[in-house]
């Protein structure tokens, strides 16, 4: 059996026909099935054509023991498999482009924030040819050093979020992501990941209280810092202005528990079980147009599990009345993360 | 701890051994980046107190001074290992470095980690650790701190000697006794393998000797 498979751009992907004349003859086949007299081999030749979205398959045979019926059966078999391959290929392409689009979308947002922050500090048109750029930039920085400090923090945050995007892309698209389990002081890791968000908390007048804690946890720093970044990023969006953001710890022989307590946007009781599901955003988050792509908490749980830990969400854990602020409902909510000590 | 040696300290050439501070360890430990491009983390480490941090663009030969003296090497995957014509650049270099210097710590770092080809390359396994280029300065610091302490902290060194003796002869020696032996070597300033095997009462003390020599002499 001879075969020749072309892509939809006309390129030959796969073929076992070496004779170029025969190749040229076979690709002239226009019918689903036909019998032709082949002048190259001076023999009868059966040939057929199967076309799918991305593939064109030509098959041919000189085998005289084959009947037309058997040849057509073989073609049917090939047709089924080519449909399957075509479907899988289309699915894979769609999946890949969705992932890439998401990554691209988020990276463009973060990067444009960085550029805009930089140009806000030093206007783009002030950097003209012939100017001494260094002196000019220095002038802007000195003139409003407080503004420069703000810019620094905002850039730090965007850059860290970009990093988190890359890490997540790596971790979710690798069958066995590389995890580097080492002992880390969880308090230190929290502070390091919280730093870039400090300004956002200050802007909504939220005061942060972190209980001192010296114990270590056995974690992969990379993934846990992504987890915390997502939680803090969400917190800056969903916390009630002028409230407290409290982080405390507790430990037993095996694990450390981190309690993140806050007054944040109400999570309806029927939403609690869905909070860690993919592509799911809360009712109030949607209403106030604060919701993102709904991947945050899904990721948080996935990455905590990679660290052999657990994460749970406790809505209205104090059972207090709902607090209304700017027409939005807020409640005492808590996230508990448990991480292994060794 | 009071022992008679301390009572005659004026007769001693060297004060008794004590634990090194992190600052002392930072001053001892030589960190070498092998990277064809300048990378700010080199300066960040120096600012953080790791004064003996330096970078070379590539390795000319495995015996070159910088490589020989380094305790921790941080090797980029791309753009290095060219001068010695290694296949797979940095990954080939890592294998050669680990073969020549099995006791030195080699960290592989790269912009594109996790790639399938790299993940299965023996060079990745030969390295002691992998770091992504966008790892936080904290990750670089905590990694070098861990390795530097392994080599230069008295506490870690004693622990490693204990583990090694258990592994080799199945006998456990108390921490105090090892410190006493270390003090003896320190007082006489003789770190030859013969002396070490005599002090530790071992026929073959080559592994212990390399831990002890590194701790005292940095080599």
């Amino acid at each position: 059996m001879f075969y020749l498979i072309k892509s939809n751009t006309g390129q030959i992907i796969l073929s076992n026909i070496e004779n170029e004349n025969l190749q040229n003859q076979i690709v002239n086949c226009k019918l689903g099935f036909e019998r032709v007299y082949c002048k190259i081999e001076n023999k009868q030749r059966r040939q057929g054509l199967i076309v799918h979205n991305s593939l064109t398959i030509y098959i041919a045979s000189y085998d005289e023991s084959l009947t037309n019926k058997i040849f057509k059966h073989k073609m049917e078999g090939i047709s089924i498999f080519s449909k399957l391959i075509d479907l899988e290929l289309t699915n894979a392409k769609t999946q890949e482009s969705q992932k890439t689009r998401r990554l691209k979308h988020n990276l463009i947002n973060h990067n444009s924030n960085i550029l805009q922050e930089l140009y806000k500090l030093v206007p783009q048109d002030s950097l003209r040819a012939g100017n001494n750029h260094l002196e000019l930039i220095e002038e802007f920085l000195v003139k409003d050093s407080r503004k420069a400090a703000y810019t620094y923090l905002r850039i730090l945050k965007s850059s860290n979020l970009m990093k988190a995007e890359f890490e997540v892309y790596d971790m979710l698209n690798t069958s066995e992501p590389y995890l580097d389990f080492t002992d880390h002081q969880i308090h230190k890791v929290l502070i390091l990941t919280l730093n870039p968000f400090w300004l956002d908390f200050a802007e909504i007048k939220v005061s942060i209280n972190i209980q001192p804690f010296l114990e270590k946890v056995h974690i992969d720093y990379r993934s846990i810092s992504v987890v915390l970044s997502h939680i803090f990023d969400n917190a800056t969006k969903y916390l009630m202005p002028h409230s407290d953001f409290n982080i405390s710890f507790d430990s037993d022989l095996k694990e450390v528990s981190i309690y993140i307590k806050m007054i944040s946007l109400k999570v309806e009781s029927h939403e609690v079980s869905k909070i860690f599901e993919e592509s799911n955003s809360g009712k109030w988050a949607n209403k106030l147009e604060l919701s993102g792509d709904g991947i945050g908490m899904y990721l948080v749980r996935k990455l905590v599990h990679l660290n052999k830990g657990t994460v749970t969400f406790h809505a209205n854990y104090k059972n207090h009345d709902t607090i209304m602020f700017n027409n939005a409902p807020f409640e005492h909510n808590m996230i508990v993360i448990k991480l292994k000590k060794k | 701890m009071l022992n008679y040696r301390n009572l005659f300290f004026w007769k001693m050439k060297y004060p008794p051994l004590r634990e090194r501070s992190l600052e002392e360890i930072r001053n001892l430990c030589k960190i070498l980046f092998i990277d064809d491009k300048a990378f700010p983390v080199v300066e960040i480490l120096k600012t953080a107190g790791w004064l003996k941090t330096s970078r070379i663009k590539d390795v000319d030969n495995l015996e070159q001074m910088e490589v020989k003296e380094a305790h921790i090497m941080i090797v980029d995957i791309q753009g290095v290992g060219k001068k010695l014509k290694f296949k797979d650049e940095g990954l080939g270099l890592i294998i050669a470095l680990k073969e020549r210097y099995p006791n030195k710590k080699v960290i592989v770092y790269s912009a594109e980690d996790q790639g399938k080809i790299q993940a299965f390359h023996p060079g990745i396994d030969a390295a002691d650790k992998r770091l992504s280029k966008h790892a936080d300065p904290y990750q670089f610091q905590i990694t070098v701190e861990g390795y530097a302490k392994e080599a230069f902290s008295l506490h870690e060194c004693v622990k490693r000697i204990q583990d090694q003796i258990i592994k080799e002869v199945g006998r456990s020696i108390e921490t105090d006794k090892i410190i006493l032996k270390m003090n003896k070597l320190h007082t006489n300033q003789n770190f030859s393998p013969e002396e070490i095997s005599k002090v530790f009462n071992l026929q073959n003390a080559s592994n212990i000797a390399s831990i002890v020599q590194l701790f005292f002499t940095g080599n």
Side-chain angles (χ1 to χ4, degrees):
Chain A
M1 197 78 131
F2 289 107
Y3 57 83
L4 188 147
I5 304 171
K6 271 186 174 184
S7 72
N8 51 7
T9 58
Q11 202 190 354
I12 297 173
I13 310 172
L14 204 64
S15 171
N16 65 348
I17 307 170
E18 281 169 13
N19 186 328
E20 245 181 68
N21 285 336
L22 186 57
Q23 271 195 10
N24 291 336
Q25 279 201 8
I26 281 176
V27 297
N28 279 329
C29 176
K30 299 276 186 295
L31 289 171
F33 168 75
E34 63 186 358
R35 257 177 90 165
V36 291
Y37 187 75
C38 177
K39 286 178 185 160
I40 304 168
E41 298 280 334
N42 283 323
K43 274 191 234 172
Q44 286 284 335
R45 185 177 79 219
R46 285 185 177 84
Q47 60 185 34
L49 165 70
I50 299 159
V51 185
H52 282 304
N53 295 337
S54 57
L55 301 171
T56 308
I57 304 167
Y58 301 91
I59 49 172
S61 173
Y62 294 105
D63 191 343
E64 283 169 9
S65 64
L66 277 181
T67 62
N68 288 352
K69 203 174 166 185
I70 294 175
F71 189 83
K72 282 179 187 168
H73 269 308
K74 285 188 187 254
M75 280 184 62
E76 249 173 63
I78 294 170
S79 179
I80 291 170
F81 276 102
S82 59
K83 267 183 201 158
L84 178 72
I85 290 167
D86 199 62
L87 190 75
E88 287 292 308
L89 215 63
T90 317
N91 284 345
K93 276 184 190 162
T94 319
Q95 271 178 25
E96 278 308 306
S97 79
Q98 265 172 3
K99 272 190 289 192
T100 322
R101 206 181 315 140
R102 198 191 139 259
L103 179 74
K104 202 174 136 192
H105 168 88
N106 293 348
L107 290 183
I108 287 174
N109 277 342
H110 299 314
N111 194 48
S112 59
N113 280 342
I114 293 177
L115 283 171
Q116 283 163 20
E117 284 298 336
L118 287 170
Y119 289 137
K120 211 164 82 186
L121 191 64
V122 180
Q124 189 176 18
D125 55 7
S126 63
L127 297 171
R128 293 206 184 106
N131 285 348
N132 185 333
H133 287 188
L134 281 180
E135 269 175 24
L136 205 118
I137 293 167
E138 206 178 343
E139 222 173 86
F140 277 107
L141 294 182
V142 173
K143 199 171 70 191
D144 199 342
S145 53
R146 174 50 67 104
K147 189 174 165 190
Y150 273 93
T151 307
Y152 176 90
L153 276 173
R154 291 213 175 88
I155 290 178
L156 186 65
K157 179 189 148 192
S158 291
S159 200
N160 266 295
L161 288 173
M162 253 166 126
K163 189 181 101 171
E165 290 292 339
F166 287 120
E167 306 281 29
V168 167
Y169 189 81
D170 270 352
M171 289 198 188
L172 294 191
N173 296 309
T174 314
S175 52
E176 280 174 43
Y178 174 73
L179 300 172
D180 176 18
F181 281 94
T182 320
D183 286 344
H184 292 270
Q185 244 182 47
I186 188 63
H187 189 272
K188 173 138 198 181
V189 177
L190 268 157
I191 301 281
L192 285 175
T193 17
L194 185 63
N195 279 338
F197 297 96
W198 182 83
L199 199 58
D200 299 83
F201 284 106
E203 274 173 358
I204 50 171
K205 308 272 188 296
V206 162
S207 69
I208 304 167
N209 310 299
I210 304 177
Q211 179 206 328
F213 189 71
L214 289 172
E215 288 189 50
K216 288 182 172 176
V217 284
H218 198 60
I219 50 163
D220 169 60
Y221 175 82
R222 218 160 64 107
S223 48
I224 289 298
S225 62
V226 171
V227 164
L228 298 172
S229 285
H230 269 281
I231 290 176
F232 296 145
D233 194 33
N234 278 349
T236 60
K237 287 197 293 186
Y238 300 134
L239 251 55
M240 186 175 86
H242 304 277
S243 65
D244 283 340
F245 187 62
N246 293 318
I247 301 177
S248 54
F249 307 89
D250 187 6
S251 83
D252 59 23
L253 280 174
K254 285 183 178 164
E255 55 188 13
V256 167
S257 305
I258 307 155
Y259 303 94
I260 304 172
K261 296 173 186 163
M262 59 208 147
I263 301 178
S264 61
L265 208 56
K266 180 183 169 117
V267 174
E268 300 286 343
S269 53
H270 67 275
E271 290 177 333
V272 175
S273 60
K274 290 187 201 149
I275 212 161
F276 295 108
E277 282 174 17
E278 197 172 3
S279 313
N280 189 58
S281 298
K283 170 184 150 192
W284 290 103
N286 282 329
K287 263 198 179 158
L288 298 167
E289 294 180 350
L290 290 170
S291 56
D293 45 21
I295 203 162
M297 290 308 273
Y298 162 76
L299 255 176
V300 161
R301 190 168 66 171
K302 193 160 177 160
L303 297 183
V304 169
H305 284 178
L306 278 180
N307 281 275
K308 301 181 189 94
T310 59
V311 55
T312 45
F313 186 85
H314 307 261
N316 196 15
Y317 71 101
K318 281 188 172 173
N319 232 345
H320 283 182
D321 290 340
T322 304
I323 309 160
M324 292 304 289
F325 185 92
N326 281 346
N327 291 324
F330 290 89
E331 280 179 350
H332 286 270
N333 295 322
M334 172 167 70
I335 295 172
V336 181
I337 303 174
K338 294 186 180 211
L339 297 169
K340 291 260 183 303
K341 275 184 172 174
K342 193 74 196 176
Chain B
M1 193 174 72
L2 192 74
N3 66 32
Y4 86 101
R5 262 175 215 283
N6 292 5
L7 293 175
F8 295 95
F9 64 88
W10 62 87
K11 283 189 181 170
M12 286 164 62
K13 231 165 111 194
Y14 294 93
L17 266 182
R18 50 166 188 82
E19 181 58 295
R20 287 183 176 122
S21 70
L22 186 56
E23 202 186 334
E24 285 171 292
I25 292 174
R26 282 191 191 127
N27 284 332
L28 272 172
C29 185
K30 290 179 182 152
I31 305 166
L32 180 69
F33 278 80
I34 306 173
D35 190 343
D36 60 332
K37 291 183 189 75
F39 197 48
V41 88
V42 179
E43 289 308 312
I44 292 176
L45 282 178
K46 269 192 202 167
T47 315
W50 300 92
L51 301 177
K52 292 183 177 155
T53 306
S54 58
R55 174 179 74 104
I56 53 172
K57 288 184 176 176
D58 203 348
V59 174
D60 297 313
N61 75 71
L62 294 176
E63 302 304 317
Q64 93 188 61
M65 191 191 66
E66 292 98 328
V67 174
K68 239 178 158 163
E69 287 189 344
H71 301 115
I72 301 169
M73 285 181 274
I74 306 180
V75 186
D76 188 9
I77 286 183
Q78 292 97 8
V80 302
K82 285 178 172 167
K83 285 193 178 160
L84 289 173
K85 297 195 170 56
F86 285 114
K87 208 180 128 215
D88 304 321
E89 302 193 351
L91 290 170
L93 176 63
I94 287 163
I95 295 176
L97 286 171
K98 260 328 240 194
E99 269 171 14
R100 173 68 186 82
Y101 304 104
N103 292 326
K104 292 188 197 290
K105 297 292 181 190
V106 176
I107 301 163
V108 49
Y109 82 124
S110 125
E112 39 158 324
D113 55 351
Q114 314 291 346
K116 266 210 167 131
I117 306 156
Q118 286 162 15
F120 294 113
H121 193 288
I124 285 283
D125 295 329
D128 295 283
K129 203 183 266 285
R130 280 190 241 170
L131 277 177
S132 160
K133 270 207 177 175
H134 61 202
D136 283 354
Y138 164 76
Q139 279 175 279
F140 277 94
Q141 283 177 41
I142 202 162
T143 304
V144 293
E145 193 178 306
Y147 288 150
K149 276 185 179 165
E150 242 179 62
F152 298 116
S153 127
L154 179 61
H155 176 74
E156 291 282 324
C157 189
V158 168
K159 233 168 62 187
R160 282 172 71 207
I161 292 173
Q162 274 173 324
D163 290 347
Q164 192 62 39
I165 292 178
I166 290 178
K167 213 166 101 187
E168 283 182 13
V169 292
R171 154 163 68 97
S172 72
I173 306 185
E174 290 149 40
T175 307
D176 285 353
K177 280 192 179 155
I178 294 181
I179 294 178
L180 226 57
K181 290 179 196 296
M182 293 283 276
N183 256 313
K184 196 169 172 187
L185 293 165
H186 173 65
T187 314
N188 301 331
Q189 290 287 301
N190 180 353
F191 311 115
S192 67
E194 298 75 37
E195 179 68 10
I196 292 169
S197 86
K198 206 175 89 193
V199 170
F200 279 92
N201 196 16
L202 287 168
Q203 274 186 341
N204 177 4
S206 60
N207 287 323
I208 303 291
S210 65
I211 299 172
V212 170
Q213 284 164 349
L214 180 63
F215 175 80
F216 283 112
T217 66
N219 290 313

